[in-house]
Amino acid sequence: MSKDRIETKVMHAGETVPRVRGAVCMPVFQTAMFEYTGEKSYDDLRYIRLNNTPNHEVLHARIADLENGEAALVTASGMAAITTALLTVLSAGDHILAQSCLYGGTHDFVTRDLEKYGISYDFIDGSRPETWNDLLRPKTRAIYVETMTNPLLEVADLEAVADFAREKEIISIIDNTFATPVNFRPLEAGFDLCIHSCTKYLNGHSDIVAGAVIGTKQLIGKITRTLNHLGGSLDPHACFLLERGMKTLAVRMRQHNESALRIAGFLEKHPLAERVNYPGLPSHPGYSRAVKLFKGFGGMLSFELKGDVEAAERFIKALKIPIIAPSLGGVESLVTRPATTSHAGMSPVERKKLGISDRLIRLSVGIEATDDLLEDLELAMHSLS
Ligand SMILES: *Cc1c(COP(=O)(O)O)cnc(C)c1O
């Protein structure tokens, strides 16, 4: 762990010493295998799938340092990080507690795939720690949450999650994609494993799919062995792009934080908006926890407008700057209706139970000029009347 501030770490943490032939940027080692130099075990052979090329090593050290963890592992996608971590930590007969509102892919994996491995689950309400103990079983091995939920940006009692896991000797896992280590570092708060979809803010440029998991050397070592066999390894060129994207993480997050906070405030005051979900608004149920734990509130927000689904669609289509697309966390603003994209896999009943209405609009605030985004939103409001 280096003492540098995060703005410096994103640039230099994990660099090779000396630099490769003096190169200021880490070159791409586009080679599947490396010469044998007497490695003793299969996992130590140098091969892209074994996650140990120079491009992997630099990224591992940098991401571990950003999250103040001992070790990190990059993966071919956020879902590869999540599934590989869960399949490492859980065995047949085990049980996991998971937050009720999860990223769609994670939700499906927990509810549909884990069963095939003989692993059971229960959902918890992240803001009611007093209810968790009753769901604990002798074979409960892990508790899984997200820093902020999608698309309502709920903030679970994260400190209680880490404490509960320590007390019950189970593994606490958190998907920190929405916060990034700039806004929140879960390992410092006592979590055992921190996961990212690097597709989002860590890379930040909407041009690759990647994931990461950070934790102790021991846990990351075990997850690496699983990944070595499951094969969801990141290729060196994507490693290079991720490293490049991460260099601007701190400045990007500063702009995302500032801009989304202003936009959320604007929407909340707007007579045509009904409900705005952003953890930086005092009206948000997670506000006090967010203020205590996070350095910034991130670039994601969601809202409902007066009127029906058609009005929401009209509004989205009237926007000129945000692109209508799924995914999030890039430099360009993106807008979607979660009922048709991120949460289309859920039944309307399930969505309703979680509070996700069909007219809910989700905005991933990019780093365009905030004033331009505000003008764009205001003009689109006129399409409602
Ligand atoms: C996108 C996302 C994932 C999945 O990541 P991929 O890189 O698309 O596999 C997991 N968790 C969260 C919170 C996400 O936003």
Side-chain angles (χ1 to χ4, degrees):
M1 188 197 303
S2 71
K3 291 190 313 303
D4 287 336
R5 292 167 182 81
I6 199 145
E7 293 84 351
T8 310
K9 283 187 181 189
V10 292
M11 218 72 65
H12 296 300
E15 279 180 333
T16 55
V17 184
R19 295 176 199 290
V20 180
R21 296 216 164 189
V24 168
C25 295
M26 181 70 184
V28 190
F29 284 76
Q30 197 66 57
T31 174
M33 66 293 266
F34 291 71
E35 271 183 315
Y36 178 72
T37 55
E39 289 83 3
K40 296 272 182 302
S41 79
Y42 175 76
D43 295 278
D44 292 332
L45 296 173
R46 295 266 172 160
Y47 186 55
I48 290 173
R49 178 167 45 74
L50 300 175
N51 308 292
N52 55 15
T53 75
N55 292 101
H56 289 100
E57 284 172 352
V58 167
L59 258 185
H60 291 163
R62 185 165 301 182
I63 293 174
D65 205 20
L66 290 184
E67 287 283 6
N68 274 338
E70 276 179 20
L73 172 69
V74 290
T75 57
S77 67
M79 282 311 298
I82 292 164
T83 55
T84 308
L86 288 177
L87 291 175
T88 304
V89 165
L90 303 167
S91 308
D94 286 348
H95 174 253
I96 181 170
L97 295 174
Q99 194 173 4
S100 52
C101 189
L102 290 173
Y103 173 75
T106 313
H107 183 274
D108 276 9
F109 184 69
V110 167
T111 56
R112 297 190 199 169
D113 295 303
L114 283 184
E115 198 183 7
K116 283 185 256 174
Y117 302 94
I119 299 159
S120 58
Y121 68 93
D122 271 298
F123 282 132
I124 56 161
D125 178 341
S127 57
R128 297 182 58 213
E130 70 279 7
T131 60
W132 303 343
N133 205 42
D134 286 347
L135 296 167
L136 208 63
R137 299 189 197 163
K139 295 282 267 177
T140 305
R141 290 279 178 263
I143 183 165
Y144 187 104
V145 295
E146 295 177 0
T147 312
M148 287 174 250
T149 64
N150 178 16
L152 299 176
L153 290 309
E154 282 164 355
V155 182
D157 193 338
L158 301 175
E159 291 175 301
V161 174
D163 289 347
F164 181 80
R166 206 176 307 114
E167 192 190 312
K168 307 296 177 191
E169 295 181 357
I170 62 177
I171 295 175
S172 51
I173 311 172
I174 186 165
D175 179 334
N176 197 35
T177 300
F178 275 37
T180 83
V182 174
N183 285 335
F184 180 55
R185 289 183 288 280
L187 302 181
E188 291 175 5
F191 277 86
D192 296 308
L193 284 176
C194 169
I195 293 180
H196 282 279
S197 167
C198 304
T199 310
K200 317 294 166 57
Y201 291 105
L202 258 58
N203 179 58
H205 292 74
S206 316
D207 50 10
I208 58 163
V209 180
V213 50
I214 307 100
T216 59
K217 274 206 175 83
Q218 197 204 9
L219 268 174
I220 297 302
K222 285 185 186 168
I223 298 167
T224 303
R225 286 183 65 89
T226 312
L227 190 70
N228 287 354
H229 295 138
L230 293 185
S233 307
L234 195 62
D235 99 287
H237 190 251
C239 287
F240 166 82
L241 288 172
L242 175 55
E243 192 191 333
R244 180 168 80 165
M246 274 169 50
K247 289 181 183 177
T248 55
L249 176 67
V251 285
R252 281 188 282 109
M253 289 316 293
R254 197 189 307 151
Q255 177 68 15
H256 286 299
N257 288 342
E258 264 181 44
S259 202
L261 184 59
R262 269 185 71 198
I263 289 170
F266 160 84
L267 288 170
E268 190 171 49
K269 284 200 211 80
H270 202 284
L272 294 178
E274 245 171 26
R275 170 182 165 201
V276 183
N277 306 303
Y278 186 67
L281 292 176
S283 60
H284 191 268
Y287 177 72
S288 58
R289 277 203 280 269
V291 167
K292 186 171 171 216
L293 294 172
F294 307 156
K295 214 170 150 223
F297 308 104
M300 297 301 299
L301 57 89
S302 63
F303 55 98
E304 281 170 9
L305 300 172
K306 295 211 167 104
D308 53 13
V309 180
E310 283 67 40
E313 275 296 312
R314 227 168 32 235
F315 175 83
I316 289 176
K317 290 200 180 108
L319 289 169
K320 297 226 155 44
I321 299 173
I323 302 163
I324 305 174
S327 199
L328 58 108
V331 287
E332 54 287 287
S333 293
L334 301 180
V335 66
T336 68
R337 213 152 48 74
T340 62
T341 52
S342 57
H343 292 70
M346 278 184 183
S347 71
V349 179
E350 274 179 302
R351 279 200 299 270
K352 196 154 175 232
K353 211 165 77 193
L354 294 171
I356 304 165
S357 73
D358 284 353
R359 65 200 174 104
L360 186 76
I361 296 168
R362 187 189 77 182
L363 183 62
S364 172
V365 178
I367 62 168
E368 302 95 342
T370 312
D371 288 331
D372 286 340
L373 290 170
L374 289 171
E375 280 170 26
D376 195 22
L377 289 162
E378 180 62 58
L379 279 175
M381 289 287 188
H382 293 303
S383 71
L384 296 177
S385 45

